[in-house]
Amino acid sequence: MRVKPAADDLLERIAIAGNLVPLPAAYALYGLTSGRVLGVAQRLGLFKKLLDGPATAGRVAEELELQVAGTRLLCENRGGMGILEQDGHTFSLPKRSRKWLDPASDTYIGTWLEHTVTYWEWYGDLERIVRDGGSFEIHREPAEDEEYWRVYITGQYEIARLSAQEVAKAIKLPAQASALIDVAGAHGWFSAELCKRHETLKATVVDLPGSARVGREIIAKAGMSDRVVHREGDMFESDLGGPYDGALVFDILHHLSAEQVVVLLRRVREALKPGAALAVLDMFRSDAKQQRASAAAVGLLFHLTSGADLHSPDELAGLFREAGFGKPKRTKVRRIPDQDLFQAQAV
């Protein structure tokens, strides 16, 4: 998947096709602002207000206590992206957008969009990080910063639930599996979906205190607290317990170096029964001559936030082997195109 400029009319299509348009300028001008504007519009409550029905920018600004000129420009900007519809001075939230921006929808991702506002600060540090090294370390925030963890983990949950049923269906566990370890599982929703599919299964989610607190609330709201339990701790230091019939290591390897991955997977291997299943869900680099645009983008994002990068499937197979697991089998995730599920058995 890639993002690129699109023409509004025939003349622009011809100009783009003939390389008459300075596309680097278009990326710099419009790409720079797109994500920031979307996240700010969500944070200010603009989309929520338009759920009540069509309204002028002036009406929206009055009810949200905003400035009319800035509100109008925000609305027009989102209209240009197709997020809103504009009819003269009136704006509305179309059905296509309501699927993602209505809190009543089971595909709502508004909290995740709100969290992307913090990306601006991360990318503001890009030059220093590329020049001098280092990273932003998004997991360093103290557990006492409840709002940070609420937005971060709730947003991750909103994205996870889009694919959780599909992923849970693809994971192979023993017929009478009773115990699962979910390492750095945050919201615990993948574990919850697995427990729904296996009536004898209970899961333990190990994660940092701030993350675990939000995860408990999500699981409790779903009525799954008797099946999914959160345990506070660092995945590299805490006693993982066991033995388990299976383990989930989801969306965390991209924050780790190859050496750290081996250390973590060895710890997981020690907590598993012989022949138990390990499932890794993540985004991965391509071994092709040219990297996929989406992989390059998220790889840079993860480098900013943890100093690491995406691993390739071939690299992952070697890390599995070094940590005591068999050859992994790959499953593509349809709902999140850039995600892959890899499964292997403890040997």
Side-chain angles (χ1 to χ4, degrees):
M1 186 167 59
R2 65 177 64 235
V3 177
K4 58 183 180 180
D8 283 327
D9 53 42
L10 178 60
L11 184 60
E12 287 188 359
R13 286 198 295 271
I14 294 173
I16 291 174
N19 198 25
L20 302 176
V21 175
L23 291 184
Y27 282 115
L29 180 60
Y30 303 118
L32 172 71
T33 59
S34 177
R36 176 71 171 185
V37 172
L38 188 57
V40 167
Q42 170 65 29
R43 180 179 281 187
L44 290 174
L46 189 149
F47 300 132
K48 184 177 181 180
K49 175 52 60 180
L50 289 175
L51 285 171
D52 298 334
T56 64
R59 176 70 178 276
V60 172
E62 178 183 2
E63 296 194 12
L64 295 179
E65 299 182 348
L66 306 174
Q67 299 299 310
V68 175
T71 303
R72 174 180 58 79
L73 291 167
L74 270 181
C75 289
E76 290 177 348
N77 193 289
R78 296 307 82 187
M81 288 196 69
I83 304 297
L84 299 181
E85 290 182 349
Q86 181 177 2
D87 183 5
H89 298 293
T90 301
F91 299 89
S92 60
L93 196 64
K95 182 178 180 181
R96 183 178 182 86
S97 296
R98 286 172 179 260
K99 175 180 180 179
W100 309 109
L101 300 175
D102 184 348
S105 170
D106 59 6
T107 54
Y108 176 71
I109 60 168
T111 316
W112 185 86
L113 289 177
E114 183 180 344
H115 184 249
T116 64
V117 174
T118 62
Y119 291 11
W120 194 262
E121 182 179 359
W122 305 344
Y123 281 101
D125 224 14
L126 177 60
E127 183 175 351
R128 179 192 66 80
I129 289 174
V130 173
R131 187 186 303 278
D132 303 325
S135 66
F136 199 84
E137 297 298 339
I138 61 172
H139 300 106
R140 67 183 177 182
E141 300 299 327
E144 292 75 20
D145 190 343
E146 295 187 10
E147 181 64 7
Y148 173 84
W149 288 102
R150 180 194 67 79
V151 174
Y152 177 28
I153 300 305
T154 302
Q156 295 300 305
Y157 157 69
E158 290 171 357
I159 295 296
R161 66 180 179 175
L162 300 178
S163 63
Q165 289 186 3
E166 176 189 351
V167 171
K169 184 178 180 180
I171 292 175
K172 308 300 182 184
L173 293 177
Q176 297 299 315
S178 61
L180 178 80
I181 179 72
D182 189 348
V183 179
H187 43 74
W189 198 247
F190 288 105
S191 288
E193 290 292 353
L194 272 168
C195 286
K196 292 176 184 179
R197 295 187 60 84
H198 300 269
E199 61 182 19
T200 60
L201 186 65
K202 291 187 177 182
T204 299
V205 181
V206 177
D207 211 332
L208 299 173
S211 179
R213 180 180 58 245
V214 181
R216 285 193 195 97
E217 295 172 358
I218 291 171
I219 294 300
K221 187 175 181 180
M224 295 286 292
S225 297
D226 60 329
R227 306 284 303 281
V228 180
V229 176
H230 281 76
R231 182 191 302 164
E232 296 180 5
D234 186 293
M235 60 187 177
F236 286 110
E237 299 175 0
S238 298
D239 180 3
L240 299 182
Y244 298 100
D245 297 296
L248 307 184
V249 181
F250 283 10
D251 293 320
I252 192 63
L253 297 191
H254 56 246
H255 288 302
L256 307 177
S257 66
E259 293 77 13
Q260 289 174 313
V261 171
V262 172
V263 171
L264 177 61
L265 294 187
R266 282 177 176 168
R267 297 197 81 232
V268 172
R269 171 66 186 84
E270 292 172 359
L272 294 177
K273 298 176 182 178
L278 166 66
V280 169
L281 182 73
D282 217 309
M283 298 179 179
F284 296 89
R285 292 183 60 81
S286 168
D287 293 319
K289 291 182 179 180
Q290 179 173 341
Q291 195 58 237
R292 301 190 324 276
S294 52
V298 295
L300 180 59
L301 173 64
F302 298 142
H303 186 71
L304 281 174
T305 55
S306 60
D309 189 3
L310 300 182
H311 302 281
S312 72
D314 286 347
E315 181 185 7
L316 182 69
L319 300 177
F320 269 49
R321 183 171 58 253
E322 191 174 348
F325 291 92
K327 183 178 180 180
K329 294 183 179 180
R330 181 180 188 177
T331 303
K332 298 290 292 182
V333 179
R334 293 173 297 172
R335 289 299 303 272
I336 309 294
D338 287 319
Q339 277 190 332
D340 291 317
L341 175 69
F342 285 87
Q343 299 180 76
Q345 288 184 308
V347 295

